[in-house]
Amino acid sequence: MKLLIINIGEIAGIVPEGVLRKQGPEMSETGVLKDAWLRVEDGLIKDFGPMADCPEAAGEVLDAEGGMVMPAFCDSHTHVVYAGSREGEFLDKINGLSYEEIAARGGGILNSADLLHRTSEDELFEESMVRVREMMAAGSGAIEIKSGYGLNPEDELKMLRVIRRIRESVPAVIRSTFLGAHAVGRKYTHESYVDEVVRMMPQAAELADFVDVFCDKGFFTPEDAIRIMKAGAACGLPAKIHANELAESGGVEAGVRCGALSVDHLERSGPVQVEALRGAVTMPTMLPGSSFFLGIPFAPAKSFIEAGLGIALASDYNPGSSPSGDMRFIMALGCIRMRLTPVQAFNAVTLNSAYAMGVAHLVGSVTPGKIANLIVTAPGWNLTKIPYLHHTPFIRHIFLRSSLFRG
Ligand code: NIG
Ligand code: FE
């Protein structure tokens, strides 16, 4: 299939081939071409250039009428496969209970695990697909999805099978993460559950791309995390880690030591974590949706960038701490609450988030040869307006693998 998009007001997010992440001052740069055309062939970005040299159309033509073209968002951290709803906990939270207090009363992750256990695999797929469609309609073209509401072998594998089915059903790029160590499953002691997670690894590795551990106060220790990451590595799974959401957990250091692709959350972080991350392959990933929803500090994004690091932003879409997968809202929180510039936030929700889920060679920028996951905005939009007018509809078309996606 051939597509030529003409009269593009500006293409944003142009990145040379081979650049897979942005760090430090590079976070403030993005390639822009004004008054442009762009060609798509066989689902891939073929080339682009100024309207003055527009090629002859060889297939379909779309007139962007001055709208902007940008890469679709990449969301490298979500928990969108879950059952039911936890709105009761939302009320508890409004009435003053903290995330930890809700979890200690048997709510939180264990509540989702109970709901998931009672839900059939087909129902779980259907419920989760509603959210995935909503995310694609909001502009996400690559989504990482974690297990972690099973907390026993049978239910964890059920989740991983549902993620695989989603991957086979949608045009977005999907990656799957085994988060067996999200909380200690009912019927287990802490130690016996860590043993169980290690035992599950070979089967999980047949379905998942990554392994993750909730390394935080009251959940899993850095020692648990290292053991689980090593078991993952032995089965070919690179790591991603939840760290420093509730306390300085040592999870960042553990993640870097094990070559984790990303360390995520980082609300309680400072110079110690920056030093640990310097020179590492690991992408610091911040989740402002959960800071907003839980009323906890926002991760210190600015100081990470000033220290020369890159950062990614992701939604953390889940029923307990961030019930939204709207990456444009995440970009707005990045600007409004973390003081990122729109270009920094844009790089964080596109290329760097693609890197954090191991797909930056496929998506996350306008680069010839990458998958044509593209947003075409309405006329008059630019990168600053997207987070500024943060709830005004801005998407006119979304192409996922070059076919028009309709939510
Ligand atoms: O990333 N922090 C751990 N996991 C999720 C919350 C999961 C839940 O509450 O259901 C998070 O915030
Ligand atoms: Fe999470």
Side-chain angles (χ1 to χ4, degrees), residues 232-249:
C235 296
L237 297 184
K240 289 165 72 66
I241 287 284
H242 280 71
N244 297 30
E245 176 184 6
L246 308 172
E248 282 201 40
S249 66

Side-chain angles (χ1 to χ4, degrees), residues 151-154 156 178 180-181 184-204 220 227-228 231:
L151 310 183
N152 62 55
E154 186 193 326
E156 282 295 311
F178 172 50
V184 173
R186 294 197 199 276
K187 300 191 195 143
Y188 294 90
T189 62
H190 188 100
E191 285 67 32
S192 71
Y193 188 62
V194 174
D195 291 343
E196 185 75 292
V197 171
V198 169
R199 268 197 303 275
M200 281 184 235
M201 201 64 72
Q203 270 186 291
F220 296 90
R227 190 173 159 216
I228 293 167

Side-chain angles (χ1 to χ4, degrees), residues 101-120:
E101 285 164 337
I102 292 169
R105 295 188 347 165
I109 296 166
L110 290 179
N111 186 357
S112 282
D114 294 341
L115 290 165
L116 187 133
H117 182 70
R118 295 198 293 269
T119 304
S120 76

Side-chain angles (χ1 to χ4, degrees), residues 3-9 35-38 51 54 57 59-69 376-379 396-397 399:
L3 169 72
L4 172 66
I5 309 177
I6 58 168
N7 295 324
I8 300 169
D35 195 18
W37 55 267
L38 182 144
M51 271 313 282
C54 190
E60 240 176 275
V61 178
L62 175 79
D63 188 341
E65 297 177 343
M68 182 173 77
V69 168
V376 182
T377 74
R396 181 165 278 184
H397 306 283
F399 291 93

Side-chain angles (χ1 to χ4, degrees), residues 189-266:
T189 62
H190 188 100
E191 285 67 32
S192 71
Y193 188 62
V194 174
D195 291 343
E196 185 75 292
V197 171
V198 169
R199 268 197 303 275
M200 281 184 235
M201 201 64 72
Q203 270 186 291
E206 285 175 23
L207 294 160
D209 302 296
F210 303 107
V211 62
D212 193 344
V213 178
F214 187 9
C215 181
D216 223 317
K217 188 171 152 224
F219 289 84
F220 296 90
T221 65
E223 293 71 36
D224 298 332
I226 289 170
R227 190 173 159 216
I228 293 167
M229 284 189 277
K230 283 188 174 160
C235 296
L237 297 184
K240 289 165 72 66
I241 287 284
H242 280 71
N244 297 30
E245 176 184 6
L246 308 172
E248 282 201 40
S249 66
V252 172
E253 295 83 341
V256 171
R257 218 175 105 188
C258 293
L261 187 56
S262 72
V263 288
D264 302 32
H265 271 292
L266 311 175

Side-chain angles (χ1 to χ4, degrees), residues 77 79 86 99 108-109 112 149 182 214 242 245 265 287 290 316 318-321:
H77 181 138
H79 309 251
R86 293 194 352 229
Y99 184 77
I109 296 166
S112 282
Y149 295 125
H182 198 194
F214 187 9
H242 280 71
E245 176 184 6
H265 271 292
L287 311 170
S290 46
D316 197 17
N318 78 75
S321 69

